[in-house]
Amino acid sequence: MTFNRAGGILLHPSSLPETPGIGTIGKQAFKFVDWLAEAKQTLWQMLPYGPTGYGDSPYASFSTFAGNPLLIDLDILIENGWLTKEQAAAPEWIKNEGYVDFGSVVYWKVPLLKTAASQFLEGKGTDLRNQYEAFKNDNASWLDNYSIFMSIKEFYDEKAQKENRFGAMWSNWWPHELAVHDDKAVSEWHSSHVHETEVHKVIQFMFFEQWKALKAYANKNGVQIIGDIPIFVAADSADVWANQHLFQVDQNGRAVAVAGVPPDYFSATGQLWGNPLYNWDAMEKENYHWWVCRIKSLLQQVDFVRIDHFRGFEAYWSVPAGEETAINGKWIPGPAHKLFEVIRKELGEVPIIAEDLGLITEEVRALRDDFGFPGMKVLQFAFDVNEAGQNGFINAFLPHMYNQNCIVYTGTHDNDTMQGWLNNASEEERNLVRRYVSGGVCPEKITDDMLCPLLIKAAFASTALMAVIPMQDVFAIASEGRMNTPSTTGGHNWQWRMSAEHFDSSKASWLRELATLYAR
């Protein structure tokens, strides 16, 4: 797959401004595309946009195929006649700016979406029934299970709320036949909850109708979308519930081993993610059909696919279920080349970007390079003073060390913002940055407020095929703009929103100049 030299911005749609409670894929998303075009940026990278649950992480979705209902734009539903302005009016405690309060947004917006879906089914507003029926038919392989899963989940979550406790994982649903996805039990549930399941299907239809329009507008204006999928899926998801034979779960649907990463320099106990692991033997017997469908589905929505934790395909860290840390895990070989050979045979040359950060072995590099997948470089990892010796500055994350087949970022969603990192860096580290961005010419004249934009310039000037900059870094926003702190919940994870002032023409002109100077 050939990747062209390009530049772009990392911004999740939830971070867009000026809509009640949360950013959407409506008018403000189109406005962002216009700003990207003005800035001569041809890439818009997003985080996964599936429906999120506890913790609000886009990397822990109820479905790897579904869209997040919270990103649906209400104004478009009003224009289609499926909601009235009066119905969609936001209460005063739903704000158009500031951090996303997911709890409040869910409480207010989900019932509105269900109302809109019901009114669509009643025949109100724009008649798209033919398109809806086609959507259901084209997506039945995941949509049927997802809609039933969500209707059951809502039933048990509501029951738990009345009993003042957290909702139950699907493995605790009763009767047991429902938990293990017995065909008869699932069919009986559906028969008695037809309206509830149909509402979830309509909401997905509404999401993907809006998404289709946004992508078409982006592509028309020269902007390509980089999508993102985590290698693993959430335990509490329709994916695992409906395909238990493809995961390492027991006969009761409970995981026997879970995902994580081993202890390292940053964590003495490793990271215990808790996702159920794949049963790769079962996947192979089905010719990796589930994975082929997953990649194919996303490629119908985006132009490039970034796969998080790519190294897990070569070998994954398996931790016995019930462990409190990741210490007692072990490396287990993954499908490696076999999976991607099938994907290439079924789908052709796929535009995959490999997130190859962390503990990367020669075997992982070979897997990445044998298929020509570009890897990732992060500038925040480049300035280790211990590597700036007399024999030269050789850190692999520095621009002069790149091979062309990579994407450079100032930081990712898991990093502090670049300005936040600079603010917390030691004076020795900042001096090293000054030396690098000045080329050793009067580094003392490089003030602290010049460092962030000069690092962005270094990314654009690099040999990397693509340079992608988080929106927060374009405006040198400090740690208050951080999107996520790994291994934590609460705080402001996933909640940052830009303001309307960030549609700034002077910043667009600067980015346009960088794109022009460095042939992006």
Side-chain angles (χ1 to χ4, degrees):
M1 182 71 193
T2 301
F3 288 73
N4 296 320
R5 190 167 170 82
I9 300 295
L10 170 60
L11 181 80
H12 198 49
S14 64
S15 296
L16 288 162
E18 294 200 299
T19 47
I22 190 171
T24 73
I25 52 177
K27 179 180 177 181
Q28 295 300 314
F30 284 71
K31 187 175 180 180
F32 183 65
V33 169
D34 292 339
W35 185 84
L36 288 172
E38 180 187 356
K40 202 181 177 182
Q41 301 303 297
T42 57
L43 300 171
W44 179 2
Q45 181 169 329
M46 305 175 180
L47 309 181
Y49 46 81
T52 57
Y54 176 75
D56 311 308
S57 170
Y59 292 88
S61 173
F62 293 136
S63 168
T64 193
F65 295 92
N68 190 343
L70 300 183
L71 300 178
I72 292 174
D73 189 78
L74 297 182
D75 287 338
I76 296 175
L77 301 186
I78 294 170
E79 290 171 7
N80 283 322
W82 303 328
L83 270 183
T84 66
K85 287 185 178 180
E86 292 73 22
Q87 288 172 325
E92 62 180 16
W93 40 270
I94 295 291
K95 305 299 183 183
N96 283 20
E97 57 186 14
Y99 293 113
V100 178
D101 180 351
F102 282 95
S104 295
V105 172
V106 169
Y107 179 81
W108 163 70
K109 192 167 185 176
V110 170
L112 279 182
L113 296 173
K114 290 183 177 181
T115 296
S118 294
Q119 293 178 168
F120 170 88
L121 291 170
E122 291 167 5
K124 295 182 179 178
T126 306
D127 182 9
L128 296 182
R129 283 305 293 244
N130 289 339
Q131 292 92 321
Y132 173 56
E133 294 301 326
F135 171 79
K136 287 198 296 181
N137 182 66
D138 293 344
N139 295 278
S141 60
W142 66 266
L143 185 62
D144 291 346
N145 278 313
Y146 168 76
S147 61
I148 295 170
F149 174 87
M150 291 305 297
S151 71
I152 304 172
K153 181 172 180 56
E154 287 181 344
F155 173 84
Y156 278 100
D157 283 353
E158 184 177 341
K159 190 173 187 295
Q161 188 176 23
K162 290 178 180 178
E163 297 172 1
N164 198 29
R165 58 181 176 81
F166 286 115
M169 257 280 294
W170 57 262
S171 55
N172 293 318
W173 290 346
W174 198 257
H176 177 70
E177 289 77 11
L178 208 54
V180 297
H181 200 273
D182 174 78
D183 287 345
K184 182 180 178 182
V186 171
S187 179
E188 288 176 352
W189 177 277
H190 181 232
S191 296
S192 57
H193 297 82
V194 171
H195 179 74
E196 292 95 322
T197 57
E198 199 72 14
V199 160
H200 284 289
K201 291 179 181 181
V202 173
I203 291 173
Q204 287 302 303
F205 171 69
M206 291 173 171
F207 175 91
F208 284 109
E209 281 292 295
Q210 293 189 11
W211 183 268
K212 184 169 61 175
L214 174 60
K215 183 179 184 294
Y217 186 78
N219 290 169
K220 179 182 176 182
N221 284 274
V223 175
Q224 294 182 296
I225 295 175
I226 302 176
D228 191 349
I229 55 174
I231 183 174
F232 300 116
V233 297
D236 195 14
S237 68
D239 307 300
V240 183
W241 174 67
N243 302 281
Q244 294 174 42
H245 67 293
L246 298 179
F247 295 85
Q248 295 183 34
V249 297
D250 63 21
Q251 59 185 1
N252 295 312
R254 294 181 174 85
V256 297
V258 297
V261 289
D264 57 19
Y265 175 80
F266 299 101
S267 173
T269 59
Q271 294 182 40
L272 185 63
W273 296 335
N275 307 76
L277 295 167
Y278 297 109
N279 181 338
W280 285 115
D281 289 339
M283 290 258 183
E284 185 177 8
K285 289 178 182 177
E286 297 185 3
N287 203 31
Y288 302 107
H289 178 71
W290 185 87
W291 262 100
V292 170
C293 289
R294 189 183 191 194
I295 298 295
K296 181 180 180 180
S297 176
L298 188 56
L299 280 175
Q300 292 171 345
Q301 304 159 34
V302 302
D303 301 290
F304 302 94
V305 176
R306 173 192 176 273
I307 301 182
D308 200 49
H309 196 61
F310 179 82
R311 73 102 53 243
F313 292 113
E314 193 281 322
Y316 57 91
W317 189 249
S318 174
V319 183
E323 291 286 326
E324 294 184 0
T325 72
I327 290 177
N328 293 322
K330 60 182 178 180
W331 288 110
I332 305 291
H337 288 68
K338 290 185 292 185
L339 170 63
F340 293 102
E341 286 167 356
V342 170
I343 290 174
R344 184 163 60 184
K345 180 180 178 181
E346 296 291 326
L347 303 178
E349 294 294 334
V350 177
I352 287 175
I353 297 167
E355 187 273 287
D356 56 347
L357 306 175
L359 180 62
I360 303 302
T361 64
E362 288 302 319
E363 292 79 6
V364 178
R365 293 188 187 96
L367 177 62
R368 177 197 66 198
D369 295 344
D370 287 348
F371 289 92
F373 300 150
M376 289 175 53
K377 303 293 183 182
V378 179
L379 276 182
Q380 283 188 34
F381 300 156
F383 298 97
D384 185 338
V385 294
N386 297 314
E387 296 176 346
Q390 294 182 351
N391 295 324
F393 204 0
I394 58 173
N395 186 301
F397 289 99
L398 282 163
H400 67 272
M401 297 296 295
Y402 300 165
N403 61 40
Q404 288 187 322
N405 197 32
C406 66
I407 291 85
V408 58
Y409 300 80
T410 45
T412 73
H413 62 276
D414 281 337
N415 292 102
D416 200 348
T417 64
M418 180 55 85
Q419 190 60 53
W421 178 83
L422 287 165
N423 291 348
N424 291 300
S426 67
E427 189 59 30
E428 192 175 8
E429 287 171 319
R430 283 196 295 274
N431 283 335
L432 193 54
V433 175
R434 290 187 186 96
R435 286 175 57 202
Y436 191 83
V437 298
S438 69
V441 180
C442 302
E444 69 279 0
K445 293 186 178 180
I446 304 295
T447 59
D448 284 352
D449 62 345
M450 296 169 65
L451 293 178
C452 190
L454 284 172
L455 285 166
I456 292 173
K457 172 184 173 291
F460 270 77
S462 75
T463 58
L465 281 175
M466 297 179 178
V468 176
I469 312 299
M471 190 67 167
Q472 297 94 312
D473 291 352
V474 173
F475 291 87
I477 296 169
S479 297
E480 66 272 15
R482 182 169 187 158
M483 197 63 171
N484 179 54
T485 302
S487 301
T488 68
T489 56
H492 290 304
N493 285 350
W494 317 113
Q495 295 181 2
W496 182 77
R497 292 186 78 181
M498 62 180 283
S499 73
E501 295 175 353
H502 291 145
F503 290 125
D504 181 85
S505 291
S506 63
K507 288 293 184 183
S509 296
W510 172 56
L511 290 171
R512 187 177 188 88
E513 176 70 357
L514 290 180
T516 302
L517 280 173
Y518 300 114
R520 294 194 184 277

